Amino acid sequence: MSNLVIVGTQWGDEGKGKIVDLLAEYSDVVVRFQGGNNAGHTMVVNGEQFISHLVPSGILQKKICIIGNGMVVDPGVLITEIDYLKEKGVKIDPEVLLISQKAHVIMPYHKAIDAAREGCGKSKKIGTTGRGIGPCYEDKAARRGIRFIDLLDEDFEKNVRAVTEEKNFYLQSFHKLDTIDVDQLIKDYDGFRKILAPYVADISVFLDNAVRKGNRILFEGAQGTHLDIDHGTYPYVTSSSTISGNACCGSGIGPKRIDSVIGIVKAYTTRVGEGPFPTELFDDTGDFLQKKGAEFGATTGRKRRCGWIDMVMIKNAVRLNSLTGLALTKLDVLGGLDEIRICTSYAYKNQRIEDFPVSLNVLGECEPVYETVAGWEEDISSVRNMEELPDNTRKYLKRIEELSETPIDLISVGPGRNETIMVNHPFK
Ligand code: GDP
Ligand code: IMO
Ligand code: MG
């Protein structure tokens, strides 16, 4: 198996950064194919924590890291992140970091519109990260977006003045807000262009050459399956396609280049932002998971909502992504609970629902149907092979494999790169 896609199966923050960092050791190139700095991916190496929002999580393993065409990039944030990583001793230059010419650029009006919509009370509050992600993807679809290739183009100023005029009309007339100073915008983006121009490249051609040379590509998903614009809990989703199929569109390679797909599954469920969450807990167990799992957003610092694992969701993710294996994360967090619940289906009115419902009204009224398994007291964070895990832990894992009909390839028992049990190495 050579080229591998890694995606989140739930509502994001499953631990993708940790697993990508770990598996990047066995890859040559790591590609992000969607999303932007709404993502916050945490890596912990030798006790030191790194959080990346835009730079792929292969950077600590000194791999070539690619910002694919499917991403939306705030250039100021990217420059700050490059500086942050350099300060921490990470080598970043145009040899190791490449930005697609076709990736879209987040502009100040995207952030202003995101914030205005979330705060105005006129439209449904999504609980976005406020980074301008949705408005940037809107402009991409409306063919008004600015790509990196356009940022480098001599018509940049003319194009931006025209788009900003329209955005300012909307901000001022509809939201009664201050307008964007277009002269300042052009000056700022001129500065960004000078710094980032050397990183901009034709990624599709680069990846094709890499594959022909026998290089191994790792595709790093952001967000999670249930935040997908098509298949997630719409409208409480992000504005990109987060599932494995988009690894191809978002990077410019064909589907025959993908060999396997690993879904990251947190051993319980979390969600940040608004939207239905059938297994959400409002009791002491929810507090226990939130505190022990340190469930605070890596991007916005918001408290994450917590609940039991939901196999209706995981089965949905297995199907939507063609998952060939699972990586189960944060298993250590469940230690100390007397019993653990696994949601196996939903009860809706007098019906039993096995497949994740499309209607949010239905989903909002679904009651989880649980199977209860015994917990374990032991701290498993120092365990490195399956045989050393407590019996009850192994029973829990077996049940997840049975219900998802998918093998667990990796188990994460702590945030550190080495705090991992490798069951079936995806690259060996
Ligand atoms: P991502 O967005 O999917 O990359 O995940 P985040 O980085 O936003 O959130 C996952 C959090 O859990 C981070 O703070 C990680 O350091 C941490 N983490 C990852 N795996 C484990 C694990 O197995 N156990 C524990 N206790 N923490 C973990
Ligand atoms: P990673 O990659 C968790 C959520 C937001 C909000 C919704 C829309 O770290 O797993 P957006 O700003 O994208 O328009 O917000 O999506 N969201 C995430 N939740 N993890 C993420 O990324 C997220 N990225 C966006 O909280 O509910
Ligand atoms: Mg995150």
Side-chain angles (χ1 to χ4, degrees):
M1 288 297 175
S2 47
N3 300 331
L4 169 69
V5 182
I6 291 185
V7 289
T9 56
Q10 292 149 320
W11 281 296
D13 304 326
E14 296 91 348
K16 298 174 291 293
K18 167 182 165 159
I19 303 296
V20 170
D21 166 67
L22 176 78
L23 293 179
E25 183 184 348
Y26 309 92
S27 317
D28 302 290
V29 182
V30 182
V31 190
R32 275 267 317 262
F33 54 89
Q34 46 73 229
N37 62 313
N38 46 351
H41 295 179
T42 314
M43 299 154 275
V44 179
V45 184
N46 299 327
E48 190 181 359
Q49 190 186 67
F50 301 79
I51 297 179
S52 71
H53 302 283
L54 289 165
V55 175
S57 304
I59 199 73
L60 305 185
Q61 298 273 19
K62 303 184 174 65
K63 304 301 167 165
I64 294 178
C65 285
I66 292 187
I67 291 181
N69 58 277
M71 286 187 71
V72 290
V73 180
D74 186 325
V77 172
L78 179 58
I79 292 165
T80 307
E81 187 164 312
I82 291 172
D83 290 344
Y84 152 85
L85 289 166
K86 277 183 178 167
E87 267 166 38
K88 280 173 147 307
V90 180
K91 177 184 178 280
I92 303 197
D93 59 29
E95 302 260 288
V96 293
L97 180 68
L98 282 74
I99 306 169
S100 168
Q101 295 163 319
K102 300 177 199 161
H104 277 249
V105 180
I106 295 183
M107 308 295 283
Y109 45 76
H110 292 138
K111 290 184 270 191
I113 292 170
D114 194 357
R117 289 202 188 125
E118 286 286 291
C120 69
K122 290 180 189 163
S123 47
K124 213 173 259 175
K125 188 171 156 55
I126 306 292
T128 73
T129 59
R131 304 298 194 258
I133 307 295
C136 187
Y137 278 115
E138 271 174 62
D139 277 356
K140 173 179 176 172
R143 293 150 298 175
R144 256 178 218 93
I146 309 282
R147 300 163 303 165
F148 271 86
I149 198 160
D150 306 318
L151 181 66
L152 306 185
D153 194 271
E154 57 186 30
D155 285 341
F156 172 73
E157 181 171 342
K158 195 174 95 198
N159 290 339
V160 168
R161 283 192 187 277
V163 180
T164 309
E165 195 182 340
E166 185 188 325
K167 304 295 178 188
N168 276 345
F169 176 75
Y170 173 66
L171 284 167
Q172 192 171 40
S173 301
F174 186 74
H175 285 292
K176 313 282 180 253
L177 288 171
D178 291 344
T179 53
I180 302 293
D181 177 346
V182 71
D183 294 322
Q184 186 63 47
L185 185 164
I186 286 163
K187 201 166 147 237
D188 291 345
Y189 278 63
D190 205 34
F192 298 152
R193 172 183 40 224
K194 289 192 181 99
I195 299 170
L196 294 177
Y199 295 86
V200 179
D202 188 327
I203 296 309
S204 177
V205 169
F206 181 92
L207 287 176
D208 187 52
N209 286 333
V211 172
R212 283 166 193 266
K213 274 191 286 188
N215 280 352
R216 210 175 243 175
I217 322 284
L218 184 57
F219 296 88
E220 175 181 12
Q223 289 80 52
T225 299
H226 294 85
L227 288 171
D228 181 272
I229 182 82
D230 283 290
H231 301 287
T233 45
Y234 192 91
Y236 300 103
V237 292
T238 191
S239 297
S240 65
S241 173
T242 60
I243 59 175
S244 60
N246 194 34
C248 293
C249 307
S251 64
I253 62 145
K256 287 173 94 173
R257 300 289 205 201
I258 308 287
D259 300 296
S260 47
V261 185
I262 289 192
I264 314 292
V265 180
K266 199 180 276 194
Y268 47 97
T269 312
T270 62
R271 173 161 211 175
V272 248
E274 311 298 315
F277 178 174
T279 63
E280 185 168 11
L281 292 167
F282 300 95
D283 57 7
D284 290 350
T285 310
D287 275 355
F288 171 90
L289 294 172
Q290 198 276 325
K291 290 203 177 77
K292 190 166 178 204
E295 294 295 353
F296 289 99
T299 297
T300 57
R302 289 178 290 179
K303 231 181 191 183
R304 295 176 184 148
R305 301 154 64 190
C306 297
W308 296 117
I309 197 165
D310 182 342
M311 296 310 293
V312 183
M313 287 177 74
I314 305 303
K315 283 192 285 183
N316 201 34
V318 169
R319 189 186 69 255
L320 289 167
N321 295 291
S322 291
L323 297 184
T324 52
L326 307 179
L328 196 86
T329 59
K330 304 196 92 158
L331 188 59
D332 52 306
V333 175
L334 297 183
L337 291 168
D338 290 340
E339 47 184 41
I340 296 168
R341 291 181 160 201
I342 303 173
C343 169
T344 52
S345 63
Y346 300 144
Y348 173 70
K349 301 199 165 146
N350 288 326
Q351 290 161 284
R352 184 65 71 92
I353 293 187
E354 309 275 345
D355 296 315
F356 197 74
V358 175
S359 157
L360 283 204
N361 289 337
V362 173
L363 186 65
E365 284 184 41
C366 279
E367 286 297 326
V369 176
Y370 288 116
E371 194 175 293
T372 303
V373 296
W376 58 91
E377 269 307 315
E378 295 89 331
D379 174 6
I380 60 167
S381 55
S382 55
V383 173
R384 297 292 174 265
N385 59 65
M386 282 292 270
E387 295 68 42
E388 285 170 33
L389 284 174
D391 284 349
N392 286 346
T393 318
R394 276 186 284 158
K395 282 184 194 152
Y396 180 67
L397 297 170
K398 188 155 176 279
R399 204 57 199 122
I400 289 169
E401 285 190 320
E402 283 166 359
L403 290 164
S404 64
E405 298 178 286
T406 312
I408 295 177
D409 289 340
L410 280 98
I411 300 160
S412 174
V413 292
R417 187 189 277 168
N418 63 329
E419 290 174 302
T420 309
I421 302 171
M422 202 58 96
V423 188
N424 304 305
H425 200 299
F427 289 137
K428 282 184 183 164

